[in-house]
Amino acid sequence: MFTPNNHEPNGSEEISDQEWEIRTGRAIYILQRTLPDFFQVGLVCNVDPTKGPNIVNVSPLECGDVESIYSPKIRLSYTPPVALPSPFPSTLSLEGLPLYMASSAFIRRTMKTLYSDLRVELRKFAIQSPSTSTQINPAAVTHTYLKREKTLFISLSVYGTTRVSGGLGEWQIDSTYTFSPVSGLIHVHTINSIHPTPHQAAYDALRASLSSVFGIGGVGDIRPGELRAVDTEGRTRKVKRGNGR
């Protein structure tokens, strides 16, 4: 959906299997501990190694390459059950850590404006690794690559009280986080489903917010007032801000 066409850093330096397990384990630990407090502290992206195991919330701009749990090139994607009208592609996506963090801040701010007593409840938290029975050609991949396949499935519920009517709002969100086999950082966040499905106005508001933040002043080669729509085949097209559709 939106991607600043900036040049990300070159590939991560090779790390040991032990370091890879440490990084994935740290990310899993941070998500499990902090997602329930999302509306209180925001999205936590790293830890302060000088303070031991304590989780420290930091500014998105302070997420370092070493201690961050997210890849600088993280991709967030969601395919609505009903296709949205043009200019939205069939699969909505955000690419890059700045946009990922900005979108989480937008969601948190908007929800807190519309609802009070917001809380997040983890319903399911499952680590998924390839089974030893999976049909894989041993000659096609290395042993290290097989060991470095890991995803995390998270199902959570969000509750809040509407500020206008006092009614209870409830949403269930299922997501899959995929770890990079190279860096051990989360490089793909796929939203499997959202119930109930967000209204189109939510996507319009998110598009306008990201455009105002990253379109003015330029991110990569995006000019003010432009966003890039990314379809499932990786093709891009420019979307003028203010056209609405």
Side-chain angles (χ1 to χ4, degrees):
M1 181 180 176
F2 315 116
T3 172
N5 193 24
N6 57 322
H7 297 289
E8 294 289 352
N10 292 330
S12 302
E13 295 182 2
E14 190 170 338
I15 61 174
S16 66
D17 290 344
Q18 181 181 17
E19 177 63 22
W20 190 86
E21 291 292 347
I22 290 174
R23 290 186 179 186
T24 58
R26 177 174 60 207
I28 292 169
Y29 172 76
I30 290 176
L31 290 174
Q32 187 175 30
R33 288 284 303 276
T34 64
L35 281 181
D37 299 322
F38 172 73
F39 291 107
Q40 286 72 47
V41 301
L43 187 65
V44 177
C45 66
N46 67 0
V47 293
D48 185 344
T50 65
K51 298 185 178 181
N54 295 327
I55 294 176
V56 179
N57 188 30
V58 297
S59 166
L61 297 178
E62 297 173 1
C63 292
D65 291 338
V66 176
E67 298 300 332
S68 174
I69 67 173
Y70 298 106
S71 165
K73 300 180 181 180
I74 184 171
R75 180 184 180 92
L76 171 68
S77 65
Y78 171 61
T79 303
V82 178
L84 297 172
S86 178
F88 291 101
S90 57
T91 295
L92 310 176
S93 67
L94 296 168
E95 294 184 9
L97 186 57
L99 281 174
Y100 184 77
M101 298 301 295
S103 65
S104 74
F106 169 81
I107 292 171
R108 177 171 175 259
R109 181 175 63 251
T110 302
M111 290 292 289
K112 291 184 71 172
T113 299
L114 300 176
Y115 297 88
S116 62
D117 303 321
L118 284 162
R119 62 187 179 90
V120 177
E121 176 184 306
L122 293 181
R123 299 171 59 91
K124 185 175 181 180
F125 202 88
I127 302 171
Q128 301 170 333
S129 297
S131 170
T132 54
S133 63
T134 302
Q135 297 295 320
I136 299 177
N137 180 5
V141 290
T142 66
H143 178 64
T144 299
Y145 180 79
L146 287 176
K147 289 176 60 178
R148 291 186 176 187
E149 284 189 41
K150 184 182 293 185
T151 60
L152 175 65
F153 175 81
I154 298 179
S155 178
L156 53 85
S157 293
V158 177
Y159 304 93
T161 302
T162 307
R163 294 188 183 276
V164 176
S165 66
L168 179 65
E170 178 179 351
W171 302 264
Q172 182 170 334
I173 305 168
D174 294 343
S175 295
T176 299
Y177 296 80
T178 303
F179 295 93
S180 166
V182 176
S183 67
L185 304 177
I186 298 170
H187 71 152
V188 178
H189 176 184
T190 303
I191 301 176
N192 305 97
S193 62
I194 304 176
H195 298 289
T197 304
H199 189 273
Q200 182 187 336
Y203 306 115
D204 288 329
L206 176 60
R207 181 181 62 180
S209 176
L210 295 181
S211 176
S212 65
V213 173
F214 293 97
I216 299 176
V219 176
D221 62 357
I222 296 181
R223 295 190 296 270
E226 289 184 350
L227 295 171
R228 296 184 183 277
V230 182
D231 63 23
T232 55
E233 297 179 355
R235 297 170 300 195
T236 63
R237 62 180 184 275
K238 295 179 180 178
V239 180
K240 292 291 185 179
R241 185 177 61 178
N243 289 351
R245 303 285 156 86

